[in-house]
Amino acid sequence: MKKFTNKYMKWGLTALIVLILAICFVCLIFKGDRIWNGFNTVLRIAMPVIDGLIIAFIATPVLNWIEVKIIYPLCGKAHINVKAMKIKKRIRAGSLLITFLVIGTVIYGFFAIVIPQLITSIQSIITRFPTYINNLISLTEKLLADNPEVEKYIEDMLAAYSKDLDNFLDNNVLPTLNSLIRSASVGMIGVLKALYNFVIGLIISLYILSGKEKFISQAKKICYALFERHTANQVIRACRFANKTFIGFLGGKIVDSAIIGVLCFAGTSLLKMPYPVLISVIVGVTNIIPFFGPYIGAIPSAMLILMTEPKKCIPFIIFILALQQLDGNVIGPKILGESTGLSGFWVIFSITLFGGLWGIAGMVVGVPLFAVFYAGVKYIVNKSLKKKTLSTLTDDYEKLKYISVEKEYIQMEETEMLNNSQAETAQESTGTKNEE
């Protein structure tokens, strides 16, 4: 009777879940705007808590390192009982103080050194901007004078599109100036709100970090209460993997970008490039974005050098290419290692996907986020293959023709693969001719 009841309970629970998912899907289709607006409202209200979680997540490795490498060894040498609850609380309070002092000192030192240089560079660019424009115009005129065909083509193109440009400026650009001014005022309010959220988030992060072990214990307790033991173990293992992936990738990428910024400053200073600090900050910050970051930072920097000192633009591009090769082949692999386990295609795919969804933030977190998803799919696929007593090695399926009843892997011969390839090519050419 008990088995009978459990059987129908599972069926009823499954039917209920399917019904709830169907209702959610219908609501998402017909009332998607309201749901999205409600989600944005909840997100905006919870932003201080989200900021606190992000700050705590970033500060956790520093806090753990200070406690494990500095505080606890010193307490051991002083014969202090670190297992006592009062001593643990004092150690945690001291470690939190040191952690935020270290992080605050690093941030303050960076801004104290870099910000004055950036302000000076930006002021110089604003002051000399007409000169830079004249340099660019004279360079363009010289290039066009040496290439009369290109000059004629550009003149014709400008003549053809000049009216469209005037209409665009009159009808689109000028009417939006008032809205731009309003947007600037709204932006100032947004900055103040972001600062308020950051301060509240900083306070919340202190509470999270002071009791992080208790929060983790409560999460595990809930996990084992909701799921079976085997499933709960898998969920906890997946959370550990996600935490390791995010910490390893983001932390390593920040260190890697800092090294690239310093090397860029050293190189641009030796080559006597204009605005070395500004260019190094642009290159270093954009380097946090995988794959596309170096190009995003190099393009505006090259344009700035082209307007300032055109002769140094080509040497700068060569230097940046050499620096990125050093980063991609030596520095990056040494620091990041196999933190994601993704191939180049999936890295580009994840950056493009999450960058389109969340902008710059998506481009930064897209790779580790997709790495966690990729690992989950890989685990499910391998688990299913193991249940069917099939191989989980990808190489076994590369030249696979079929799997026999005895589960033998029948591989295709090289000649057979070549013939199949030629047959497919012939079919494609025949289809093309038929279409013509």
Side-chain angles (χ1 to χ4, degrees), residues 40-69:
N40 286 333
T41 303
V42 173
L43 191 65
R44 187 171 61 254
I45 294 171
M47 190 53 67
V49 179
I50 295 172
D51 288 344
L53 291 171
I54 293 172
I55 294 170
F57 182 77
I58 295 171
T60 295
V62 182
L63 176 66
N64 291 339
W65 187 85
I66 289 172
E67 283 186 345
V68 174
K69 300 292 184 180

Side-chain angles (χ1 to χ4, degrees), residues 2-41:
K2 186 177 181 181
K3 289 184 178 180
F4 179 80
T5 305
N6 289 338
K7 179 180 177 181
Y8 281 94
M9 279 289 291
K10 288 181 180 179
W11 285 0
L13 184 61
T14 304
L16 179 63
I17 293 172
V18 171
L19 181 61
I20 292 172
L21 291 175
I23 294 172
C24 292
F25 182 72
V26 171
C27 292
L28 188 63
I29 292 175
F30 294 101
K31 297 183 178 181
D33 294 338
R34 292 184 181 180
I35 294 172
W36 184 250
N37 291 334
F39 176 75
N40 286 333
T41 303

Side-chain angles (χ1 to χ4, degrees), residues 288-419:
I288 296 176
I289 301 172
F291 192 80
F292 296 111
Y295 305 102
I296 295 173
I299 291 171
S301 302
M303 289 297 297
L304 178 61
I305 293 174
L306 181 64
M307 290 191 298
T308 310
E309 298 183 30
K311 293 181 180 178
K312 293 185 177 180
C313 184
I314 299 299
F316 171 75
I317 292 174
I318 295 172
F319 168 71
I320 288 295
L321 290 175
L323 184 63
Q324 296 307 325
Q325 289 297 316
L326 177 66
D327 179 37
N329 297 314
V330 180
I331 299 175
K334 288 286 184 183
I335 296 175
L336 296 174
E338 296 294 332
S339 57
T340 60
L342 296 178
S343 63
F345 168 78
W346 291 119
V347 170
I348 298 173
F349 174 81
S350 59
I351 294 170
T352 306
L353 175 63
F354 290 101
L357 291 173
W358 303 328
I360 298 297
M363 297 177 78
V364 174
V365 303
V367 174
L369 194 62
F370 188 82
V372 174
F373 172 76
Y374 183 89
V377 173
K378 183 180 178 181
Y379 172 78
I380 293 170
V381 170
N382 289 342
K383 185 178 180 181
S384 178
L385 289 171
K386 286 178 181 178
K387 283 184 177 179
K388 299 175 181 179
T389 63
L390 297 174
S391 174
T392 59
L393 299 176
T394 307
D395 293 339
D396 292 340
Y397 298 87
E398 183 177 355
K399 300 178 182 179
L400 181 67
K401 188 175 182 181
Y402 64 91
I403 300 176
S404 65
V405 179
E406 295 80 11
K407 295 185 179 179
E408 294 181 358
Y409 290 75
I410 309 301
Q411 303 290 337
M412 296 177 66
E413 299 292 338
E414 293 291 339
T415 55
E416 189 176 1
M417 292 180 64
L418 182 61
N419 292 334

Side-chain angles (χ1 to χ4, degrees), residues 137-154:
I137 291 172
S138 61
L139 178 65
T140 306
E141 289 176 350
K142 184 178 179 181
L143 290 173
L144 292 177
D146 296 337
N147 300 276
E149 295 179 358
V150 177
E151 182 180 11
K152 185 177 183 305
Y153 173 76
I154 292 177

Side-chain angles (χ1 to χ4, degrees), residues 37-266:
N37 291 334
F39 176 75
N40 286 333
T41 303
V42 173
L43 191 65
R44 187 171 61 254
I45 294 171
M47 190 53 67
V49 179
I50 295 172
D51 288 344
L53 291 171
I54 293 172
I55 294 170
F57 182 77
I58 295 171
T60 295
V62 182
L63 176 66
N64 291 339
W65 187 85
I66 289 172
E67 283 186 345
V68 174
K69 300 292 184 180
I70 299 176
I71 304 297
Y72 282 117
L74 290 176
C75 291
K77 290 180 181 180
H79 303 289
I80 297 174
N81 183 17
V82 295
K83 293 182 179 180
M85 187 57 65
K86 289 184 179 180
I87 300 298
K88 278 188 175 182
K89 289 183 178 180
R90 290 174 183 174
I91 290 174
R92 177 55 54 85
S95 301
L96 280 172
L97 179 63
I98 296 171
T99 298
F100 281 97
L101 281 176
V102 169
I103 295 174
T105 303
V106 171
I107 294 173
Y108 173 78
F110 173 78
F111 284 107
I113 295 171
V114 173
I115 291 298
Q117 297 290 332
L118 290 180
I119 293 173
T120 303
S121 300
I122 293 170
Q123 288 175 345
S124 176
I125 291 170
I126 294 172
T127 305
R128 301 179 183 178
F129 191 73
T131 305
Y132 297 155
I133 294 297
N134 291 331
N135 291 340
L136 191 61
I137 291 172
S138 61
L139 178 65
T140 306
E141 289 176 350
K142 184 178 179 181
L143 290 173
L144 292 177
D146 296 337
N147 300 276
E149 295 179 358
V150 177
E151 182 180 11
K152 185 177 183 305
Y153 173 76
I154 292 177
E155 288 177 354
D156 294 340
M157 185 177 67
L158 289 175
Y161 291 103
S162 60
K163 293 183 178 179
D164 295 336
L165 181 61
D166 291 337
N167 292 330
F168 175 75
L169 292 174
D170 293 336
N171 299 327
N172 296 327
V173 175
L174 295 178
T176 57
L177 290 178
N178 293 329
S179 63
L180 287 174
I181 295 172
R182 288 195 298 270
S183 299
S185 60
V186 173
M188 290 298 298
I189 297 173
V191 170
L192 293 176
K193 286 183 178 179
L195 184 61
Y196 169 79
N197 291 337
F198 176 78
V199 173
I200 301 300
L202 188 64
I203 297 171
I204 292 173
S205 69
L206 290 173
Y207 284 97
I208 294 172
L209 290 171
S210 62
K212 62 187 181 72
E213 288 82 5
K214 185 176 181 180
F215 289 127
I216 293 172
S217 302
Q218 290 173 342
K220 291 179 182 178
K221 184 179 177 181
I222 294 170
C223 187
Y224 281 106
L226 293 177
F227 304 107
E228 296 292 333
R229 185 175 60 183
H230 177 68
T231 306
N233 289 336
Q234 290 179 337
V235 171
I236 292 172
R237 194 179 299 116
C239 291
R240 287 198 186 107
F241 174 79
N243 178 65
K244 181 181 176 182
T245 301
F246 271 86
I247 288 290
F249 180 81
L250 296 179
K253 202 62 183 171
I254 291 171
V255 174
D256 174 52
S257 299
I259 294 172
I260 291 300
V262 172
L263 291 177
C264 182
F265 175 74

